[in-house]
């Protein structure tokens, strides 16, 4: 194709470019601009330079929100990836071989089912299950004689974050299992057969074949789940609204609070900008490591 | 290698985990069809004595659930179609036209896709209020069309990058215009990919919570997840009505999963490789 023939294709980018500018680029730049101001959302924003960012640094709630984010990365990315690796490998290389592919895919579907729910609906389901007065979990514990373990799972500041973490593990687990099982299908079966003939047991095959072979998928799962954990909002809004106190607050909910409940748009924008920056940096680092690795 | 009882132990461990994963679904379904009296006497684990649907009916009427379903369906379907359309136009220029600077444009789109919505929400909220689109389904449709198309463009550009050149050239020799080639050649041949993309956009938009929560505040515009999420913890809800509301949130999601199962599992893995 010569150059003039190519030039006409620009036309097809116009609708996308206009909409993209209006919905993503301009609002993002506006958000950054707002973060340098004090603004209640009405009237004229007042330029205050970096004051919002300075305030962030000494804001204990802001730091707490990032500590909770780290906890949620553990619950949403690291734990599901580790468990998912073992489950997928065992389903593929053990259950599938001993009990047939149907058993393996039925189990996979069971693990995956929570993933099909809107995350807010998953929160609604667990909110009911964990309700201190009529929730199913405490009733179940009493029914099996473990009533002493009944707790106000989401209402106790010492327990709430751990409870949210457990729910997120439940929610996320199916995603790595499905991805890893698909990834395992492209590994040459001869590798496993050769290892088996050499007398390698299941764990050795797992460590020396499955884990290294499935690295690309592991990277993608860790990256997408880490980003999801940094953005997490729905479950927090539905389950705890950041509470009790600030025991489960996360940056996205903290910025939402400042935007829509505290009429503190400038501060909310600063939190959102920092969050965006962290996500972009993490994505960049992941991609760099992945590139070097492959 | 373990033989005999060992492998059954492994299978039971996996089955137990499957039961744990599915338990909330089962408990929700069991309790959504119990009467409040039944719940308080038998607790959440007893089997229901019959189908008591009043809890579901009451909740449905109380939140006007039919309207929420319709809102969710309309918004998700509109986004699915429009975002696919926009992705096709973008990817035609980037993947087939190979316009200059396409790598940077793709990086920009991908960046937009990973950007947290929190970093766009306030200006979008402000703009929507200025132009009179606040609390309208249209605002949500426009925003998600662009956000989903950012990912769609990225994926589709890679697919169209491998589009067989010979077919394009043959059509061009026959005198077909570029516009005609797009609709008569490229779109029909890429139909399977476009269908996958459309289903993805539909489900993703259906599952969204944050932006719909901000933008759809009145009862007539809310989507299913927003309506359920906002009601969570409402003092007026008893155990059976709460489980009924959970069930109503679960059913459409599971239905889509069953309908689109193949496409989804295939698509999830395609997304991972790209």
């Amino acid at each position: 194709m010569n150059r003039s023939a190519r030039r006409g294709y620009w036309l097809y980018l116009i609708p996308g470019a206009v909409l993209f500018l209006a919905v993503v680029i301009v609002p993002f730049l506006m958000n950054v601009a707002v973060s340098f101001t004090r603004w209640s959302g009405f009237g004229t924003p007042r330029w205050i330079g970096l004051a919002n960012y300075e305030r962030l640094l000494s804001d204990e709630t802001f730091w707490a929100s990032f500590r909770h984010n780290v906890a949620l990365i553990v619950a949403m990315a690291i734990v599901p990836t580790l468990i998912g690796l073992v489950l997928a490998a065992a389903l593929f290389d053990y259950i599938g071989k001993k009990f047939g592919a149907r058993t393996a895919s039925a189990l996979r579907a069971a693990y995956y089912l929570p993933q099909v729910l809107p995350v807010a609906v998953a929160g609604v389901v667990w909110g009911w299950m964990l309700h201190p007065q009529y929730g199913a979990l405490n009733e179940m514990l009493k029914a099996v004689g473990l009533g002493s373990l009944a707790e106000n799972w989401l209402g106790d500041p010492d327990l709430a974050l751990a409870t949210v973490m457990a729910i997120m593990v439940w929610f996320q687990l199916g995603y790595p299992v499905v991805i890893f099982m698909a990834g395992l299908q492209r590994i040459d079966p001869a590798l496993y057969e050769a290892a088996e003939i050499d007398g390698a047991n299941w764990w050795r095959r797992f460590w020396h074949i499955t884990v290294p072979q499935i690295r690309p998928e592991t990277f993608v799962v860790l990256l997408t789940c880490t980003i999801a954990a940094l953005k997490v909002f729905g479950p927090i809004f539905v389950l705890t609204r950041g509470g009790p106190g600030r025991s489960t607050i996360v940056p996205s909910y903290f910025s939402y609070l400042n935007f829509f409940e505290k009429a503190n748009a400038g501060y909310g924008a600063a939190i959102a900008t920092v969050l965006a920056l962290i996500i972009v940096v993490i994505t960049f680092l992941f991609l760099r490591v992945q590139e070097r690795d492959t | 290698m373990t033989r005999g009882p060992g492998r059954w132990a492994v299978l039971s461990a996996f089955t137990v985990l499957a039961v744990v994963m599915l338990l909330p679904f089962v408990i929700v379904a069991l309790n959504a069809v119990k009467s409040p009296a039944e719940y308080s006497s038998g607790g959440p684990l007893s089997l229901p004595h019959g189908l008591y649907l009043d809890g579901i009916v009451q909740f449905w009427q109380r939140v006007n659930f039919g309207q929420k379903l319709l809102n969710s369906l309309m918004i998700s379907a509109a986004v699915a179609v429009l975002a696919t359309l926009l992705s096709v136009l973008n990817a035609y220029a980037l993947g087939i036209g190979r316009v200059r600077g396409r790598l940077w444009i793709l990086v920009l789109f991908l960046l937009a896709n990973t950007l947290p919505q929190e970093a766009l929400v306030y200006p979008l909220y402000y703009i929507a209020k200025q132009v009179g689109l606040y609390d309208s389904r249209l605002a949500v449709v426009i925003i998600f069309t662009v956000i989903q198309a950012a990912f769609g463009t990225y994926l589709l550009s890679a697919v169209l990058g491998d589009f067989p050149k010979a077919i394009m050239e043959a059509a061009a020799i026959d005198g077909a215009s570029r516009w005609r080639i797009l609709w008569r050649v490229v779109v029909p041949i890429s139909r399977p990919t476009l269908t996958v993309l459309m289903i993805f956009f539909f489900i993703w938009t259906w599952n969204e919570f944050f932006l719909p929560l901000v933008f759809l505040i009145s009862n007539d515009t809310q989507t299913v997840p927003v309506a359920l999420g906002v009601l969570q913890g409402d003092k007026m809800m008893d155990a059976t009505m709460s489980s009924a509301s959970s069930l109503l949130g679960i059913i459409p999601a599971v239905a889509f999963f069953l309908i689109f199962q193949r496409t989804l599992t295939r698509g999830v893995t395609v997304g991972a490789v790209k």
Side-chain angles (χ1 to χ4, degrees):
Chain A
M1 246 181 291
N2 62 36
R3 205 181 247 182
S4 64
R6 245 187 220 188
R7 198 164 288 154
Y9 280 103
W10 273 108
L11 290 173
Y12 292 86
L13 274 179
I14 292 172
V18 170
L19 280 166
F20 193 69
L21 211 64
V23 173
V24 179
I25 305 280
V26 169
F28 181 69
L29 295 177
M30 277 170 79
N31 183 77
V32 174
V34 168
S35 76
F36 296 118
T37 68
R38 174 162 297 145
W39 189 33
S40 64
F42 298 97
T44 325
R46 191 158 61 84
W47 185 268
I48 54 167
L50 288 171
N52 281 326
Y53 293 93
E54 275 164 31
R55 184 176 150 199
L56 275 182
L57 290 178
S58 57
D59 186 343
E60 187 42 46
T61 308
F62 176 74
W63 289 108
S65 74
F66 273 99
R67 279 197 304 276
H68 301 154
N69 242 173
V70 173
L72 285 167
I73 290 173
V74 172
M76 290 176 68
I78 297 175
V79 170
T81 302
L82 292 177
I83 303 179
L85 266 174
V86 177
L87 286 180
L91 284 177
F92 183 80
D93 186 30
Y94 191 88
I95 301 280
K97 283 176 186 166
K98 304 255 169 191
F99 297 95
R102 266 171 187 237
T103 314
S105 56
L107 287 166
R108 181 186 63 178
Y111 303 151
Y112 188 72
L113 203 60
Q115 272 277 299
V116 309
L117 297 183
V119 67
V121 171
V124 172
V125 170
W126 279 101
W128 170 68
M129 297 266 296
L130 299 171
H131 195 282
Q133 269 98 53
Y134 56 65
L137 183 66
N138 282 346
E139 295 286 330
M140 283 166 65
L141 288 172
K142 281 176 207 152
V144 294
L146 292 170
S148 57
L149 293 179
E151 297 276 0
N152 185 358
W153 300 100
L154 293 164
D156 180 342
D158 297 328
L159 264 180
L161 184 64
T163 306
V164 172
M165 286 172 74
I167 295 170
M168 294 322 287
V169 170
W170 173 82
F171 182 74
Q172 288 284 81
L173 188 59
Y175 172 67
V177 172
V178 166
I179 302 258
F180 291 154
M181 279 186 81
L184 285 167
Q185 271 160 7
R186 68 177 165 74
I187 300 177
D188 185 358
L191 276 177
Y192 285 101
E193 280 156 25
E196 229 170 305
I197 291 165
D198 289 346
N201 64 22
W202 191 87
W203 274 109
R204 285 187 76 88
R205 295 203 302 274
F206 176 71
W207 268 119
H208 296 292
I209 303 174
T210 308
V211 173
Q213 290 284 330
I214 207 146
R215 267 179 105 93
E217 280 85 358
T218 311
F219 263 119
V220 172
V221 166
L222 277 175
L223 175 64
T224 48
C225 293
T226 301
I227 293 175
L230 286 166
K231 290 178 176 177
V232 72
F233 177 86
I236 299 295
F237 180 92
V238 173
L239 289 168
T240 65
R241 310 239 167 157
R246 56 180 174 218
S247 58
T248 57
I249 200 157
V250 289
S252 70
Y253 187 73
F254 190 34
S255 68
Y256 171 87
L257 269 183
N258 279 290
F259 283 139
F260 299 107
E261 279 175 32
K262 297 182 174 172
N264 225 337
Y267 199 48
I271 301 162
T273 306
V274 170
L275 184 62
L277 207 65
I278 291 175
I279 289 177
V280 170
V281 167
I282 286 184
T283 309
F284 179 76
L285 289 179
F286 257 104
L287 295 178
R288 279 293 293 270
V289 172
Q290 189 185 23
E291 228 163 69
R292 203 174 303 157
D293 203 66
T294 48
Chain B
M1 178 159 291
T2 41
R3 289 184 193 283
R7 61 186 203 148
W8 292 104
V10 175
L11 184 67
S12 4
F14 274 81
T15 313
V16 168
L17 181 63
V19 170
V20 171
M21 295 297 283
L22 296 180
L23 205 57
F25 293 89
V26 176
I27 293 184
V28 162
L30 276 184
N31 290 285
V33 296
K34 280 183 199 166
S35 69
E38 238 180 294
Y39 187 93
S40 52
S41 65
L45 293 182
S46 66
L47 289 175
H49 299 307
L51 281 183
Y52 170 87
L53 296 175
D54 283 9
I56 295 175
V57 172
Q58 273 171 27
F59 180 78
W60 186 295
Q61 287 167 347
R62 197 176 138 202
V63 304
N64 196 1
F65 196 76
Q67 175 76 51
K68 317 287 175 195
L69 270 178
L70 195 65
N71 290 337
S72 273
L73 269 175
M74 286 187 330
I75 291 173
S76 308
V79 169
V81 172
L82 292 173
T84 307
L85 199 69
L86 198 60
S87 307
V88 168
L89 292 178
N90 286 341
Y92 191 46
L94 297 168
I96 288 180
R98 300 193 165 267
V99 295
R100 244 200 265 178
R102 67 178 180 283
L103 198 67
W104 287 109
I105 299 173
L106 283 174
V107 168
L108 198 65
F109 275 128
L110 200 61
L111 217 57
N113 201 246
T114 50
L115 217 57
Q117 292 169 359
E118 290 78 10
L120 308 175
V121 69
Y122 204 77
L124 286 174
Y125 165 81
Y126 188 77
I127 296 169
K129 281 203 152 172
Q130 298 294 312
V131 299
L133 281 178
Y134 183 59
D135 199 17
S136 79
R137 284 157 292 200
L138 181 61
V140 175
V141 168
I142 294 172
I143 295 169
F144 281 123
T145 293
V146 178
I147 292 179
Q148 310 287 32
F151 175 81
T153 301
Y154 177 75
L155 194 80
L156 209 53
S157 295
V159 174
L160 291 187
D162 299 331
F163 199 84
K165 293 264 177 316
I167 301 177
M168 300 277 304
E169 279 158 16
I173 289 167
D174 288 346
S177 68
R178 202 167 281 152
W179 180 248
R180 232 180 126 74
I181 292 176
L182 172 62
W183 294 109
R184 292 295 164 87
V185 181
V186 176
V187 167
I189 291 179
S190 325
R191 183 157 293 158
T193 318
L194 299 184
T195 314
V196 172
L197 217 51
M198 221 179 271
I199 293 169
F200 264 27
F201 293 161
F202 181 89
I203 305 255
W204 288 345
T205 309
W206 185 284
N207 288 354
E208 280 288 345
F209 184 69
F210 181 67
L211 288 177
L213 174 75
V214 171
F215 279 86
L216 305 175
I217 46 160
S218 71
N219 266 320
D220 298 339
T221 56
Q222 276 174 348
T223 60
V224 172
V226 173
L228 295 182
V230 170
L231 274 171
Q232 173 68 18
D234 190 333
K235 294 277 183 301
M236 296 279 289
M237 302 253 268
D238 57 25
T240 42
M241 213 195 269
S242 289
S243 56
S245 81
S246 302
L247 187 70
L248 287 177
I250 290 175
I251 287 173
V254 172
F256 296 142
F257 176 64
L258 294 176
I259 298 169
F260 300 129
Q261 201 181 13
R262 282 219 179 129
T263 325
L264 280 177
T265 37
R266 193 154 35 102
V268 165
T269 50
V270 167
V273 181
K274 285 288 168 198

